[in-house]
Structure formats: C-alpha cells, structure tokens
Amino acid sequence: MKKSLIFLLVLITSITLYASDVILSNTLGAYYCAQEPNPKTYIKHTVEEPISIYWEDNVYPGFDEADSKLMVANYLDGVHLQMMALNTPDGKVRIYSYANIPQSYIDLVKEGYAVSKEWKIRNDAADRAFEEAYDSKRGKYREDYSRDSSPLKELSAAFREIDAKKWTLTQQIEFSRSKLDLVITETTKQQMPQMNYTVKTDEVNLSDLARKVLYSDEVKITDNRTKEVIAYNRRIMQLYSASLLPDMSGGNYYYPHPMCGNGTELFERGVFITLERGMSRKLGPNGGRYAKTPKL
C-alpha cells in the first residue's frame, strides 16, 4: 500500500511538473514571438547568382568534414555558386571551388536551371487544374470533370514531359560534376578572400527561465559588398521536454516545428533561389545543426 501511494505521488508530481513546463513554454514562446524583430523572417530580395558565399555557424558550431561534403554536394554547382567558404569546428575556414570548369558543363547547368523554372510553372498549373477538377472533401471529380478531361489531361501530360526532361538533365549534371576537380583551401576568417555574401547563424540569448523550455537562434544574410543585411530569420523553438507531444523517436532536443520563424534551411534557399534541395548536415534538424543542448 505504501509503495502504491509513493508511486502515485511521484506520478502526480511528474505530471504537474510536465504540465507546468508545457504552459510555461507556450506562454514564454508567445512572449518572445511577439518581440522584435517582427516579422521574424524578412527577405528584402532574392539572389539567383550569389557566386560566392561564406557560411559561419556559431551554434553547431562549424561544419565538420561530413557536413562540408553535403554542403558541397547540394549547393556548390560551379556556376551560380562558384566558391563556398565554411567555418570549421577547429576555428579555421575551408574554401571550396572547382578548377577548369568546361563550357559544356556550364551550358548544361544553365539549361538545367531553365528547365527547373519551367518545371515549376507547369507543376503549379497542373496543381491548380487538379484542384479545380477534383473535390478532395468528397473524394471524387466534380461534375463535368474527369481524369481525362481537358485541360487537366493536357496539363498533366505537359508536366510529365518536363518532369522527365528535368530528371534526365539532373542525372547528366550530377555525372558531369562528379568529374570536376574540387579544390579545397584551408585558411582563417581574417585571411580568406571576400565572399559576396555571408550567412551567419548565432544563438539568441533568452532569460534563464526561458532557456529551460525554449531555444532561439538567428540567421543573418549580409551582402558584403554593400554591408547590408538583405535577410534574417529568428526562430523560437520549444524543447521537446516542454512540448505537448512526446518525442517518439527519442534523442531530440527541440520540437521540429518552430513556434515562430522559419526552418533555417528553407529560409536560406528562399534567399538563394538556385541552391539545390537537400540536407546541409549529416543529421536531421534535431540531430544536426539544431541539436545544441541549451545551457540550463
């Protein structure tokens, strides 16, 4: 009987503490989300050809070799982005570029980008036509529409055509890029050549109480030629230990969806619109660049 009573008291205490953390995190999250800067995500303009970018991550901190390989694979195409600099965990900077790029590769990348833009246009058109023809609530096509009705059929066929072309070009570009000579130079931040843009990630200091249930960081993108901040993104993240939903997979620090602000990688690609899709870290959002244990 005594053991059962002790267990019940421990359970009630645990539930009470957990509930209080959930309430506290939501209350403080709403407070910090309402503070400046507002909006939390701001993009003055997008950049199609950045040419050179320096990434400085002071949260992770730095890019190790595995992360650097992913950054090169997903971002450095040698045309839109010709030079990439990354800070490393040992305080150095590594610079990546390709040597002796043939014109045939440059033409292939430019064609691939043009096809990607056309792919998006046709995909959006096909999606709009499908939404008009199909009643998702009822789970069937609306009256006077079917899978084979016009213009749905024509738009779907046009999208399939561009999708096949995009896939073929992507394979050709990746194969050609694998043959390029990657040049890696190690230097320091003070001695590296000036990059056109800097993408800098820093932790945002919260109060001691807030850091028990929240985490925040900010990414700023600066045009180094004008010294202007052209975009920024500040996220407020809820610790999994203070979120309403349990961490089913285990080992995650933060609830994956920000309380405000955008996901960091989505934000960066929203600025540099020619950057490829794909992870920039060897681990996911909770196990990679965002997995910094808060100082409690």
Side-chain angles (χ1 to χ4, degrees):
M1 183 66 177
K2 182 181 286 188
K3 288 184 179 181
S4 299
L5 181 59
I6 293 174
F7 175 77
L8 183 60
L9 289 173
V10 170
L11 181 62
I12 292 173
T13 301
S14 299
I15 293 173
T16 302
L17 291 173
Y18 177 71
S20 64
D21 279 352
V22 171
I23 294 170
L24 181 63
S25 66
N26 280 281
T27 301
L28 289 175
Y31 168 78
Y32 279 106
C33 284
Q35 303 306 301
E36 293 295 335
N38 272 316
K40 286 290 185 288
T41 301
Y42 167 79
I43 298 175
K44 184 174 183 179
H45 60 80
T46 59
V47 179
E48 186 169 309
E49 295 191 11
I51 305 300
S52 59
I53 304 175
Y54 167 53
W55 272 271
E56 180 176 307
D57 192 333
N58 297 313
V59 172
Y60 192 56
F63 296 80
D64 62 19
E65 288 195 20
D67 294 330
S68 298
K69 287 180 180 178
L70 282 176
M71 290 288 287
V72 169
N74 290 323
Y75 293 169
L76 188 67
D77 67 1
V79 179
H80 301 97
L81 183 60
Q82 301 172 12
M83 185 178 294
M84 166 190 292
L86 306 171
N87 73 318
T88 64
D90 60 3
K92 299 291 183 62
V93 170
R94 286 199 187 97
I95 301 175
Y96 301 83
S97 62
Y98 293 115
N100 305 315
I101 300 177
Q103 185 62 43
S104 58
Y105 171 79
I106 295 173
D107 293 340
L108 195 61
V109 170
K110 289 183 177 180
E111 182 184 3
Y113 181 59
V115 168
S116 292
K117 290 201 288 188
E118 180 64 24
W119 181 94
K120 186 178 187 309
I121 292 171
R122 294 193 190 182
N123 181 61
D124 291 346
D127 283 348
R128 287 194 298 270
F130 181 78
E131 288 175 4
E132 181 180 338
Y134 190 78
D135 188 339
S136 58
K137 291 183 179 179
R138 299 174 61 193
K140 64 178 184 179
Y141 284 93
R142 294 183 173 91
E143 188 176 354
D144 298 329
Y145 285 99
S146 71
R147 186 186 298 274
D148 296 323
S149 62
S150 181
L152 186 61
K153 185 177 181 179
E154 289 80 2
L155 289 170
S156 296
F159 171 73
R160 287 195 299 272
E161 178 185 10
I162 198 72
D163 189 55
K165 187 175 183 179
K166 180 176 180 288
W167 186 88
T168 300
L169 275 171
T170 299
Q171 300 305 306
Q172 292 175 347
I173 291 169
E174 290 304 309
F175 177 77
S176 298
R177 188 166 62 158
S178 70
K179 303 298 182 182
L180 299 179
D181 296 324
L182 181 65
V183 178
I184 305 174
T185 305
E186 187 169 273
T187 183
T188 64
K189 183 178 179 180
Q190 292 72 29
Q191 295 178 329
M192 76 174 188
Q194 178 172 299
M195 301 287 141
N196 286 347
Y197 298 91
T198 292
V199 180
K200 187 179 180 185
T201 304
D202 289 298
E203 183 176 357
V204 175
N205 291 325
L206 304 177
S207 69
D208 290 341
L209 178 62
R211 282 172 21 178
K212 294 181 182 296
V213 292
L214 300 174
Y215 164 78
S216 179
D217 60 26
E218 183 174 67
V219 182
K220 286 185 178 180
I221 298 180
T222 303
D223 185 331
N224 295 323
R225 296 159 297 184
T226 63
K227 309 302 181 185
E228 180 186 16
V229 175
I230 64 168
Y232 64 79
N233 178 59
R234 180 174 293 195
R235 302 182 308 162
I236 302 296
M237 305 289 288
Q238 191 176 33
L239 269 62
Y240 244 124
S241 59
S243 67
L244 189 60
L245 297 176
D247 176 14
M248 302 302 293
S249 59
N252 294 320
Y253 292 114
Y254 315 124
Y255 187 70
H257 304 293
M259 301 183 78
C260 55
N262 286 343
T264 302
E265 291 179 345
L266 293 177
F267 162 70
E268 291 176 11
R269 291 169 188 149
V271 179
F272 302 113
I273 57 176
T274 51
L275 294 185
E276 293 293 333
R277 301 293 171 181
M279 294 301 295
S280 63
R281 293 291 194 181
K282 63 181 180 297
L283 300 175
N286 282 286
R289 74 159 51 183
Y290 312 130
K292 183 176 185 295
T293 307
K295 305 180 187 74
L296 301 181

